[in-house]
Amino acid sequence: MHRRLVASATAAFLLPVGLAAAPTTGAAAEPTAAESAGRTIGSWSVSPAGPDTWSVAWTAPEPLMVGGDQPRILTSEDTGRAPAGTDLGSTTLSPDGRTVTVTVVGSKPRPTSLDVVLSGRTLDEPVEATTPTGSARFTAPERELLPVDPGIPGDVPFTTRDYTLDPITVDGMPIPVEMVGHVVAPTPAAAEADDPLVLLLHGKHGTCFVGDEFPTYAWPCKGEEQPLPNHLGYEYLQELLASQGYVTVSISANAINAQDTTDVGIQDSGAAARAQLVQAHLDQWAAWDQAGQEIVDLDDVVLVGHSRGGEGVARASLEIPLDAAYRISGQVLIGPTDFARQTSPYVPTVSLLPYCDGDVYWLGGQTYTDRARDLTTDDTSMKSSVMLMGANHNFFNTEWTPGLSQAMATDDVMETSSGACAADAPTRLSAQEQQDVGKAYIAGAVRMFTESDAEDKEALLPMYDGSAARVASAGDAVVLSHMLGGGRTTVRPGIDASPADGATATVGLCVGATPFTNTGQTCGRYARDYGLTPHWPATGTSTLKVKALQMGWTSPGAAGGLALDEPLDLAGAAALDLRTIVDPRIGDVELEVRIGDASGGTTQVAGVTGAP
């Protein structure tokens, strides 16, 4: 395989990882005078759909720009049978992108008691113009420049080509799914038999477009409509990887995007369908490899997925059989959804979390790290969360980026955002800056997953393990990281440790779930925000809840902690990483961290001061 060219990553201890800092309220545009006067935006209808069954629909005045998140209809007030914020169930979206529908069994719902929510925005109610507020309490840590830089192009010449094969049938979707791939790979003269394969999968976006009109979600395209080339939006990344000796293919999933809001697809937002599509392409590459038509190492395959494509490749990693003609070495998930609350045991995973994500605003990629902690006891693969400060959801794909896309595209960050995500904030990244930092961290992960040289892997690890480090190709972008596995020993509250005796603070174990009202056993004191946070699933959506130690105090000097069930030998340990989450409404805190040994001796190992 070609030697990757690297030369000079940001990773700093993430405290906390993915705290709910992305904006979750507001509107995309200032309401009209009529809307501010009290009118509901759009129109509601409730019609019979069977015995004690109702079809509830809301129609927007113009097509919705649906991305990774799915529109939901929720109760806006307590109904006696369900608390405010209760999700009424799986919705469908009309092909023109305007009408959201849900089927409800029971008493007839009142539209005045319902909300339509998409990406943290309540769509059916006007928002009064106010001075936006946001969290700007962030100071970039001092970071060391690494001597390696995976964002620097290599010297391997590469070529570009496309393939189109017969469509395939995907479970639950009546319209066949296209088999289209955009390949960027070393030229035949430069190709080597051990060049790994990197497969990229885009997420939810429009499928067809005409000029500068709103894209639709129909398939196949008709009349003057053209297919929206979502799969071409990562060519900048493919070119970097190909120059370093990787074979890359970015595949199209427009037919799935047009059908993943059906009654079948919406249950997982098309994750299973996308996994089938990934396997179909890999099966084809295996056939080409066996026929000698491709020069590629299918024992080293890395999957890269964006948004719903991230969840799709993670599902593929779970479902690809062990006797397949290819092996998944790792996966990179870019702003992924997590509707199925899944993770991929034994598969090295890096989840990129855009801090200013205005689409997957709950930063669902954190799930792939958190849930891996307790899923199995023998999974030693790395699970890393990488927070990209100032990054949004769309700019990773050039076909979703204004000024670069062929069809209409938007900046998904709300116009009302302020603080670190405001349009004029120095912390916001331009499209070019975001793509540069994305290239560095994606290419670094791909190299770690496929490179056999342990020294090279060790040099790249600080980009992902919480170290205060940076790489030159990422520019001034601030990146924070946190990692489990990958050679680390994890101590889990409630599993490997229990609250220690002698606490002067209020301590106890809590369950990581997001309720609408705190029950005393759930972590945190969350206000009603439709039940979404990066770390905890909404109440009732998951059987596997992550436990944590919860501590509170009313005066300085209070102490509490964990007693390990089994002693931990720290001889030769390079670092001690304590994951800490501070309630964002508390403000700045000062913490001292101490460890004790079996003889009763203690030593202070860290002092943490600052905002959550």
Side-chain angles (χ1 to χ4, degrees):
M1 180 183 172
H2 300 279
R3 186 70 174 177
R4 305 304 191 273
L5 296 182
V6 294
S8 149
T10 318
F13 178 42
L14 184 52
L15 178 68
V17 179
L19 198 62
T24 58
T25 59
E30 186 173 339
T32 65
E35 292 165 346
S36 296
R39 289 187 181 180
T40 297
I41 298 175
S43 60
W44 286 94
S45 67
V46 179
S47 57
D52 296 323
T53 304
W54 307 91
S55 176
V56 181
W58 175 79
T59 300
E62 58 185 19
L64 303 176
M65 294 294 286
V66 178
D69 196 16
Q70 59 190 32
R72 298 175 295 147
I73 297 179
L74 309 102
T75 58
S76 59
E77 58 187 44
D78 292 341
T79 64
R81 301 195 329 177
T86 299
D87 196 325
L88 295 188
S90 300
T91 60
T92 61
L93 181 67
S94 60
D96 65 2
R98 291 184 57 203
T99 302
V100 182
T101 305
V102 65
T103 300
V104 178
V105 177
S107 58
K108 182 178 181 179
R110 293 181 296 108
T112 54
S113 66
L114 302 176
D115 280 336
V116 181
V117 176
L118 177 64
S119 297
R121 304 165 174 88
T122 301
L123 304 180
D124 62 315
E125 296 178 357
V127 177
E128 296 294 339
T130 59
T131 301
T133 60
S135 174
R137 295 185 299 159
F138 176 77
T139 301
E142 292 292 331
R143 297 163 293 156
E144 178 185 357
L145 183 67
L146 291 182
V148 297
D149 191 339
I152 295 177
D155 58 4
V156 179
F158 57 86
T159 185
T160 300
R161 61 183 173 85
D162 299 278
Y163 63 80
T164 300
L165 309 174
D166 292 337
I168 63 171
T169 300
V170 170
D171 294 343
M173 294 191 170
I175 301 173
V177 176
E178 75 273 23
M179 284 282 290
V180 174
H182 181 65
V183 180
V184 184
T187 62
E192 297 183 3
D194 60 350
D195 288 344
L197 176 67
V198 179
L199 183 146
L200 300 96
L201 176 62
H202 65 81
K204 176 79 171 185
H205 201 65
T207 55
C208 303
F209 75 102
V210 176
D212 58 357
E213 298 177 6
F214 274 90
T216 68
Y217 296 89
W219 192 260
C221 302
K222 298 179 181 179
E224 297 181 357
E225 291 182 328
Q226 300 180 55
L228 205 160
N230 292 298
H231 66 300
L232 300 183
Y234 310 103
E235 190 169 47
Y236 69 97
L237 173 61
Q238 290 183 266
E239 291 179 349
L240 172 70
L241 292 171
S243 77
Q244 297 174 346
Y246 295 96
V247 177
T248 74
V249 57
S250 183
I251 65 175
S252 176
N254 279 342
I256 294 177
N257 280 353
Q259 300 179 85
D260 64 1
T261 51
T262 64
D263 287 337
V264 174
I266 198 65
Q267 302 299 325
D268 64 1
S269 297
R274 290 182 173 88
Q276 290 183 51
L277 179 63
V278 168
Q279 291 185 66
H281 278 273
L282 291 177
D283 288 341
Q284 182 61 63
W285 278 84
W288 287 333
D289 177 61
Q290 293 168 3
Q293 296 173 287
E294 293 288 348
I295 302 176
V296 64
D297 182 5
L298 292 178
D299 287 331
D300 242 354
V301 177
V302 177
L303 303 181
V304 179
H306 184 190
S307 194
R308 294 195 194 184
E311 186 164 5
V313 301
R315 179 72 66 86
S317 295
L318 285 170
E319 297 183 351
I320 290 172
L322 295 178
D323 60 355
Y326 40 85
R327 186 184 72 88
I328 307 303
S329 298
Q331 59 186 9
V332 183
L333 315 178
I334 309 168
T337 58
D338 63 332
F339 296 117
R341 290 285 171 177
Q342 64 189 23
T343 190
S344 303
Y346 311 107
V347 180
T349 302
V350 168
S351 297
L352 301 186
L353 309 178
Y355 182 85
C356 298
D357 197 322
D359 183 1
V360 185
Y361 69 102
W362 65 97
L363 303 183
Q366 182 60 35
T367 300
Y368 297 91
T369 298
D370 285 344
R371 291 179 63 81
R373 196 197 75 175
D374 301 345
L375 195 60
T376 178
T377 58
D378 62 347
D379 180 9
T380 60
S381 64
M382 68 176 286
K383 297 292 190 295
S384 173
S385 300
V386 179
M387 177 80 83
L388 309 180
M389 302 302 294
N392 72 359
H393 189 82
N394 286 352
F395 287 177
F396 293 107
N397 187 312
T398 58
E399 291 297 334
W400 303 359
T401 304
L404 299 177
S405 60
Q406 298 184 44
M408 174 183 285
T410 61
D411 179 351
D412 52 278
V413 178
M414 290 182 292
E415 294 177 2
T416 53
S417 296
S418 62
C421 296
D424 59 351
T427 47
R428 269 305 301 274
L429 300 180
S430 68
Q432 184 63 60
E433 290 169 335
Q434 182 167 325
Q435 290 158 19
D436 285 345
V437 69
K439 283 192 299 184
Y441 279 83
I442 296 168
V446 169
R447 183 174 179 188
M448 284 193 65
F449 299 155
T450 59
E451 179 62 68
S452 59
D453 191 320
E455 185 175 337
D456 280 353
K457 289 187 177 184
E458 188 70 21
L460 291 166
L461 190 61
M463 297 178 69
Y464 308 96
D465 70 357
S467 300
R470 65 184 183 89
V471 290
S473 67
D476 294 330
V478 177
V479 185
L480 311 174
S481 71
H482 167 74
M483 191 179 82
L484 298 177
R488 292 187 165 195
T489 300
T490 302
V491 176
R492 301 160 296 176
I495 299 177
D496 309 305
S498 304
D501 296 332
T504 56
T506 302
V507 297
L509 294 176
C510 61
V511 176
T514 304
F516 296 107
T517 56
N518 191 284
T519 64
Q521 295 180 331
T522 49
C523 300
R525 298 181 293 169
Y526 300 103
R528 171 178 167 257
D529 62 351
Y530 299 117
L532 294 172
T533 70
H535 293 279
W536 318 132
T539 302
T541 63
S542 175
T543 57
L544 179 60
K545 305 287 198 307
V546 178
K547 291 184 179 180
L549 176 75
Q550 185 164 253
M551 186 172 84
W553 61 90
T554 57
S555 60
L562 288 167
L564 277 60
D565 295 343
E566 298 290 338
L568 184 63
D569 186 0
L570 297 180
L576 180 66
D577 186 355
L578 177 66
R579 264 189 15 166
T580 308
I581 302 172
V582 179
D583 190 317
R585 292 169 294 180
I586 298 300
D588 293 354
V589 298
E590 295 183 7
L591 301 175
E592 290 183 358
V593 180
R594 293 179 177 274
I595 57 175
D597 59 22
S599 66
T602 64
T603 183
Q604 181 173 328
V605 294
V608 180
T609 302

